[in-house]
Amino acid sequence: MNTKRSQILLFYLFAYSLFLSSCDNFNQRKYVKVDDPTFPYSLWTESETYQLNDELSEISGIHYMEDGLMACIEDENGLIYFYDLNSKSVVKKVKFAKSGDYEDIEIIDSVAYVIRSDGKLYEITNYLSDKPQVKKYDTPLNSKNDVEGMCYDKENNRLLLACKNDAGIEQELPGQRAVYSFNLDKMKLSKKPVFTVFLADLSEKAKTKVDFAPSGIEIHPISNEIYLISTVGKLMLILNKSGKFIKAKRFGVNNKFNQPEGITFSKSGTMFISNEARISQANILRFDPIPADISSN
């Protein structure tokens, strides 16, 4: 290679390195705008990782039970998997329905509830017995709404259902993501969302465009705040009981957050997030809460 061509090549390499550097700085500025340093959990450093085998590669919903047992749903088979966090293995399976796109699970006493993406809700009584009783409820939600998350709101005895796509049922609600309620006394879905998240508001807070499509929802057992997670945009939101924005934080940039789909808490506030398999194995990540005196600094 002659000297002139070498000089030209070096010039372009130098210019390209400057371009990459400016992109990194820009991305960091975007990240800082949406990342609250007082967030109660570090999403960059998990306390423990539970690697899952192939039968849970499509894990989509989790619910923490007592004594380190986790109830899991995956979006292909109508099975509840009971995963032991101590032995790191599936110790029991319960069939409740045929194959389908099941997205989340909630357990209240002896009853398990499983939501399908098209809004069909399964009530499984005596879910640990050899012959559980199953009842299916049709809701006005459908595959266009794409229900991805569900949690129990004990204070109001209802299930909260988070929709990944269309926010409206009878009317369109563009630019929003909706959470509906299913009343467990009347066994009926609310006609309107309990609250919606406006994408424009998120983008304004972040000072840049933010994509958000809820894949999981849970209520914190101590603060009673609502946690929403999204694979799209790799973002976690904390909302108050009325659905008003409090804080946001991006997931750590690593292969462990392949596709965050499920979220649950222990009674003491330990947080668990499940990830479907993509670049690496499916997993469940455990996050211990940050002590108040540290998170406030």
Side-chain angles (χ1 to χ4, degrees):
M1 183 181 294
N2 61 42
T3 303
K4 185 174 182 180
R5 290 179 62 188
S6 298
Q7 290 175 339
I8 293 174
L9 179 59
L10 287 172
F11 172 78
Y12 279 112
L13 287 174
F14 177 71
Y16 185 62
S17 66
L18 287 178
F19 171 75
L20 290 179
S21 177
S22 65
C23 288
D24 288 342
N25 290 336
F26 178 68
N27 288 334
Q28 178 66 15
R29 288 197 301 272
K30 289 199 300 181
Y31 173 81
V32 170
K33 293 294 184 182
V34 78
D35 187 71
D36 193 316
T38 65
F39 209 80
Y41 297 89
S42 170
L43 299 183
W44 290 85
T45 308
E46 67 278 4
S47 303
E48 190 164 359
T49 300
Y50 305 90
Q51 300 289 357
L52 305 177
N53 59 22
D54 289 344
E55 66 181 340
L56 283 172
S57 62
E58 297 294 322
I59 187 169
S60 54
I62 53 177
H63 173 82
Y64 183 81
M65 304 171 68
E66 295 301 315
D67 301 321
L69 201 62
M70 189 77 72
C72 309
I73 287 293
E74 45 90 33
D75 59 13
E76 291 185 351
N77 300 298
L79 293 169
I80 301 175
Y81 300 80
F82 295 93
Y83 182 87
D84 190 324
L85 297 173
N86 297 311
S87 65
K88 299 186 177 182
S89 63
V90 174
V91 294
K92 185 179 178 64
K93 302 176 191 176
V94 173
K95 187 172 180 61
F96 66 91
K98 62 182 181 180
S99 298
D101 188 11
Y102 303 103
E103 293 296 342
D104 214 343
I105 180 170
E106 185 64 54
I107 295 178
I108 307 168
D109 298 325
S110 63
V111 181
Y113 294 93
V114 175
I115 192 68
R116 212 165 69 181
S117 61
D118 60 1
K120 302 294 188 293
L121 179 68
Y122 292 78
E123 180 186 61
I124 305 127
T125 305
N126 298 320
Y127 61 89
L128 284 174
S129 68
D130 294 331
K131 294 183 179 180
Q133 293 79 51
V134 181
K135 187 173 183 179
K136 184 174 72 171
Y137 294 89
D138 293 328
T139 73
L141 296 169
N142 56 48
S143 56
K144 290 183 178 179
N145 302 112
D146 194 1
V147 185
E148 290 265 333
M150 177 176 66
C151 71
Y152 179 48
D153 177 6
K154 184 177 181 180
E155 185 177 325
N156 297 290
N157 195 32
R158 63 186 182 181
L159 298 171
L160 297 182
L161 307 179
C163 299
K164 181 179 180 180
N165 290 324
D166 289 0
I169 298 178
E170 297 178 350
Q171 60 178 350
E172 293 187 6
L173 298 173
Q176 301 175 57
R177 298 289 183 253
V179 172
Y180 287 83
S181 69
F182 186 88
N183 188 302
L184 291 174
D185 292 320
K186 300 178 180 180
M187 303 306 287
K188 190 175 181 180
L189 188 81
S190 58
K191 293 182 179 180
K192 296 181 179 180
V194 177
F195 64 85
T196 62
V197 175
F198 286 83
L199 300 183
D201 288 349
L202 288 182
S203 296
E204 183 179 351
K205 289 179 174 64
K207 306 303 180 185
T208 187
K209 183 179 179 181
V210 173
D211 292 324
F212 187 81
S215 54
I217 184 172
E218 189 58 276
I219 297 177
H220 196 281
I222 299 172
S223 69
N224 286 321
E225 294 167 334
I226 298 170
Y227 282 61
L228 274 174
I229 63 173
S230 174
T231 292
V232 177
K234 295 290 180 71
L235 192 65
M236 177 183 285
L237 302 184
I238 298 180
L239 314 174
N240 67 14
K241 292 192 294 184
S242 301
K244 302 298 183 183
F245 177 90
I246 298 176
K247 295 178 182 180
K249 194 174 186 71
R250 292 195 188 278
F251 288 108
V253 182
N254 58 51
N255 291 340
K256 294 179 180 178
F257 284 109
N258 290 321
Q259 188 167 327
E261 292 283 336
I263 179 172
T264 187
F265 293 95
S266 71
K267 289 182 178 179
S268 62
T270 298
M271 181 174 68
F272 299 87
I273 296 174
S274 61
N275 290 272
E276 291 188 15
R278 285 298 177 266
I279 301 172
S280 58
Q281 279 181 269
N283 62 45
I284 297 173
L285 304 178
R286 191 190 90 213
F287 297 88
D288 296 329
I290 299 172
D293 59 337
I294 295 177
S295 62
S296 62
N297 290 336

